[in-house]
Structure formats: structure tokens, C-alpha cells
Amino acid sequence: MADRLYLLNPDWFDDQGGPWFCPPGARIEGVLGLYPRLREHLTVTYLDHPRPRPAVIAEVGEANQSCPLLVLDGEFDWPDAQVSEETGARFLQDDDILPYWAARYGIGRPHP
């Protein structure tokens, strides 16, 4: 089983206008571009912006629908992971994903 990454598709519209993209998701996409070998270890799913997001709800519950979201495969202990109260899945969101990838897959870390 691989870590599962959920990202939002770009160019959505909402009541504030658009088209929009997700800044944390763009940062994650940038890291995937710098380290393409990461994709070998991930299952990446792109979602539309509107909620509910059924694929994410099935993994981590309705309360944790924000993306980017990485559901951990359980093969690498990561003490900073959140745990879904609904499903028990361990996951990370936004910039918390990057230190995990550095530790697990040996990529560079973000400069402080």
C-alpha cells in the first residue's frame, strides 16, 4: 500500500470569483516537480474544489476535508501525524507533508 495524496484541481470558481488554485497544493506540486521519484511512492488523486469530497471523507472523515492531504500507509512511524477520529487513519495536511517526505524518502527539506 502506498501513501495516498489528495490535491485540488486548479481553476475553480466560488462565491468570491476565480479562477483559483490552492497555494498549499501548488507548493506540494512544486516539490513533486523537483523530486519526480516521489510519485513512485504515492497514489495521487485530484479532486474538484466543492465539498463534500467523498474520497477524502472515506479516508479521514468529514471533519478533515482540507487539501492537500496525505494519508499515511502505516509503514513509516511519524509521530506528528494526525489521527482521524472517524476512521483511525493517520494523515498529514498542508506543509506538514514536506518534513515527512524528507524523512521517509530522503528529499530536501524546506529552508526555515
Side-chain angles (χ1 to χ4, degrees), residues 1-5 39-44 59 70-75 100 104-105:
M1 181 191 283
D3 290 336
R4 294 168 309 284
L5 177 65
R39 288 188 183 267
E40 298 170 14
H41 304 284
L42 304 171
T43 300
V44 182
E59 291 268 22
L70 183 72
V71 180
L72 308 185
D73 66 6
E75 294 181 18
Y100 169 82
R104 181 162 187 190
Y105 301 115

CSV table of all heavy atoms in Angstrom, one decimal, residues 1-5 39-44 59 70-75 100 104-105:
chain,number,residue,atom,x,y,z
A,1,MET,N,0.8,-1.2,0.0
A,1,MET,CA,0.0,0.0,0.0
A,1,MET,C,0.9,1.2,0.0
A,1,MET,O,1.9,1.3,0.7
A,1,MET,CB,-0.9,0.0,1.2
A,1,MET,CG,-1.8,1.2,1.3
A,1,MET,SD,-2.7,1.4,2.9
A,1,MET,CE,-3.9,0.2,2.8
A,2,ALA,N,0.5,2.2,-0.7
A,2,ALA,CA,1.3,3.5,-0.8
A,2,ALA,C,0.6,4.6,0.0
A,2,ALA,O,-0.6,4.5,0.3
A,2,ALA,CB,1.4,3.9,-2.3
A,3,ASP,N,1.4,5.6,0.3
A,3,ASP,CA,0.8,6.8,0.9
A,3,ASP,C,-0.1,7.4,-0.2
A,3,ASP,O,0.1,7.3,-1.4
A,3,ASP,CB,1.9,7.9,1.2
A,3,ASP,CG,2.8,7.5,2.3
A,3,ASP,OD1,2.3,6.8,3.2
A,3,ASP,OD2,3.9,8.0,2.4
A,4,ARG,N,-1.3,8.0,0.3
A,4,ARG,CA,-2.3,8.5,-0.7
A,4,ARG,C,-2.4,10.0,-0.5
A,4,ARG,O,-2.7,10.5,0.6
A,4,ARG,CB,-3.6,7.8,-0.4
A,4,ARG,CG,-3.5,6.3,-0.8
A,4,ARG,CD,-4.6,5.4,-0.3
A,4,ARG,NE,-5.0,5.5,1.1
A,4,ARG,CZ,-4.4,5.0,2.1
A,4,ARG,NH1,-3.3,4.4,2.0
A,4,ARG,NH2,-4.9,5.0,3.3
A,5,LEU,N,-2.1,10.7,-1.6
A,5,LEU,CA,-2.1,12.1,-1.6
A,5,LEU,C,-3.3,12.7,-2.3
A,5,LEU,O,-3.6,12.2,-3.5
A,5,LEU,CB,-0.8,12.6,-2.3
A,5,LEU,CG,-0.7,14.1,-2.5
A,5,LEU,CD1,-0.6,14.9,-1.2
A,5,LEU,CD2,0.5,14.5,-3.4
A,39,ARG,N,6.5,10.3,-6.8
A,39,ARG,CA,5.3,9.8,-7.4
A,39,ARG,C,5.3,8.3,-7.4
A,39,ARG,O,4.2,7.7,-7.4
A,39,ARG,CB,5.0,10.4,-8.8
A,39,ARG,CG,4.6,11.8,-8.7
A,39,ARG,CD,4.1,12.4,-10.1
A,39,ARG,NE,3.8,13.8,-10.0
A,39,ARG,CZ,2.6,14.2,-9.8
A,39,ARG,NH1,1.6,13.4,-9.6
A,39,ARG,NH2,2.4,15.5,-9.8
A,40,GLU,N,6.5,7.7,-7.4
A,40,GLU,CA,6.6,6.2,-7.4
A,40,GLU,C,6.1,5.6,-6.1
A,40,GLU,O,5.7,4.5,-6.0
A,40,GLU,CB,8.0,5.8,-7.6
A,40,GLU,CG,8.6,6.2,-9.0
A,40,GLU,CD,10.1,5.9,-9.0
A,40,GLU,OE1,10.7,5.2,-8.2
A,40,GLU,OE2,10.7,6.5,-10.0
A,41,HIS,N,6.1,6.5,-5.0
A,41,HIS,CA,5.7,6.0,-3.7
A,41,HIS,C,4.3,6.5,-3.3
A,41,HIS,O,3.9,6.2,-2.2
A,41,HIS,CB,6.7,6.5,-2.7
A,41,HIS,CG,8.1,6.1,-3.0
A,41,HIS,ND1,8.6,4.9,-2.7
A,41,HIS,CD2,9.1,6.9,-3.5
A,41,HIS,CE1,9.8,4.8,-3.1
A,41,HIS,NE2,10.2,6.0,-3.6
A,42,LEU,N,3.6,7.1,-4.2
A,42,LEU,CA,2.3,7.8,-3.9
A,42,LEU,C,1.2,7.3,-4.8
A,42,LEU,O,1.5,7.0,-6.0
A,42,LEU,CB,2.4,9.3,-4.0
A,42,LEU,CG,3.5,10.0,-3.2
A,42,LEU,CD1,3.6,11.4,-3.6
A,42,LEU,CD2,3.2,9.9,-1.7
A,43,THR,N,0.0,7.3,-4.3
A,43,THR,CA,-1.2,7.3,-5.1
A,43,THR,C,-1.7,8.7,-5.0
A,43,THR,O,-2.1,9.2,-4.0
A,43,THR,CB,-2.2,6.3,-4.6
A,43,THR,OG1,-1.6,5.0,-4.6
A,43,THR,CG2,-3.5,6.3,-5.5
A,44,VAL,N,-1.7,9.4,-6.2
A,44,VAL,CA,-2.2,10.8,-6.2
A,44,VAL,C,-3.6,10.9,-6.8
A,44,VAL,O,-3.8,10.4,-7.9
A,44,VAL,CB,-1.2,11.7,-7.0
A,44,VAL,CG1,-1.6,13.2,-7.0
A,44,VAL,CG2,0.2,11.6,-6.5
A,59,GLU,N,-11.6,8.3,3.7
A,59,GLU,CA,-10.2,8.0,4.3
A,59,GLU,C,-10.1,8.6,5.7
A,59,GLU,O,-9.6,7.9,6.6
A,59,GLU,CB,-9.2,8.7,3.4
A,59,GLU,CG,-9.0,8.1,2.1
A,59,GLU,CD,-7.9,7.0,2.0
A,59,GLU,OE1,-7.6,6.4,3.1
A,59,GLU,OE2,-7.4,6.8,0.9
A,70,LEU,N,-2.4,14.0,2.9
A,70,LEU,CA,-1.6,12.8,2.7
A,70,LEU,C,-2.0,11.7,3.8
A,70,LEU,O,-1.8,12.0,5.0
A,70,LEU,CB,-0.1,13.0,2.8
A,70,LEU,CG,0.8,11.8,2.5
A,70,LEU,CD1,0.8,11.5,1.0
A,70,LEU,CD2,2.2,12.1,3.0
A,71,VAL,N,-2.6,10.6,3.3
A,71,VAL,CA,-3.0,9.5,4.2
A,71,VAL,C,-1.8,8.6,4.2
A,71,VAL,O,-1.3,8.1,3.2
A,71,VAL,CB,-4.2,8.8,3.7
A,71,VAL,CG1,-4.6,7.7,4.7
A,71,VAL,CG2,-5.4,9.8,3.6
A,72,LEU,N,-1.2,8.3,5.4
A,72,LEU,CA,0.0,7.5,5.6
A,72,LEU,C,-0.3,6.0,5.4
A,72,LEU,O,-1.4,5.6,5.9
A,72,LEU,CB,0.6,7.8,6.9
A,72,LEU,CG,0.9,9.3,7.2
A,72,LEU,CD1,1.6,9.4,8.5
A,72,LEU,CD2,1.6,10.0,6.1
A,73,ASP,N,0.6,5.3,4.8
A,73,ASP,CA,0.4,3.9,4.6
A,73,ASP,C,0.7,3.0,5.8
A,73,ASP,O,0.4,1.8,5.8
A,73,ASP,CB,1.1,3.4,3.4
A,73,ASP,CG,2.7,3.4,3.6
A,73,ASP,OD1,3.1,3.7,4.7
A,73,ASP,OD2,3.4,3.1,2.6
A,74,GLY,N,1.2,3.6,6.9
A,74,GLY,CA,1.5,2.9,8.1
A,74,GLY,C,2.8,2.2,8.2
A,74,GLY,O,3.1,1.5,9.2
A,75,GLU,N,3.6,2.3,7.1
A,75,GLU,CA,4.9,1.6,7.1
A,75,GLU,C,6.0,2.4,7.7
A,75,GLU,O,7.1,1.9,7.8
A,75,GLU,CB,5.2,1.1,5.7
A,75,GLU,CG,4.2,0.1,5.1
A,75,GLU,CD,4.6,-0.3,3.7
A,75,GLU,OE1,5.7,-0.1,3.3
A,75,GLU,OE2,3.7,-0.9,3.1
A,100,TYR,N,7.8,15.1,6.5
A,100,TYR,CA,7.6,13.6,6.4
A,100,TYR,C,8.3,13.0,5.2
A,100,TYR,O,9.0,12.0,5.2
A,100,TYR,CB,6.1,13.3,6.4
A,100,TYR,CG,5.7,11.9,6.1
A,100,TYR,CD1,5.8,10.9,7.1
A,100,TYR,CD2,5.3,11.5,4.8
A,100,TYR,CE1,5.4,9.6,6.8
A,100,TYR,CE2,5.0,10.2,4.5
A,100,TYR,CZ,5.0,9.3,5.5
A,100,TYR,OH,4.7,8.0,5.2
A,104,ARG,N,11.2,10.3,5.2
A,104,ARG,CA,10.9,9.0,4.7
A,104,ARG,C,11.6,8.7,3.3
A,104,ARG,O,12.1,7.6,3.1
A,104,ARG,CB,9.4,8.8,4.5
A,104,ARG,CG,9.1,7.4,4.0
A,104,ARG,CD,7.7,6.9,4.2
A,104,ARG,NE,7.5,5.5,3.8
A,104,ARG,CZ,6.4,4.9,3.7
A,104,ARG,NH1,5.3,5.5,3.9
A,104,ARG,NH2,6.4,3.6,3.3
A,105,TYR,N,11.6,9.7,2.4
A,105,TYR,CA,12.1,9.4,1.1
A,105,TYR,C,13.4,10.1,0.8
A,105,TYR,O,13.9,10.0,-0.3
A,105,TYR,CB,11.0,9.8,0.1
A,105,TYR,CG,9.7,9.1,0.3
A,105,TYR,CD1,8.5,9.7,0.7
A,105,TYR,CD2,9.7,7.7,0.1
A,105,TYR,CE1,7.4,9.0,0.9
A,105,TYR,CE2,8.5,7.0,0.3
A,105,TYR,CZ,7.4,7.7,0.7
A,105,TYR,OH,6.2,7.0,0.9
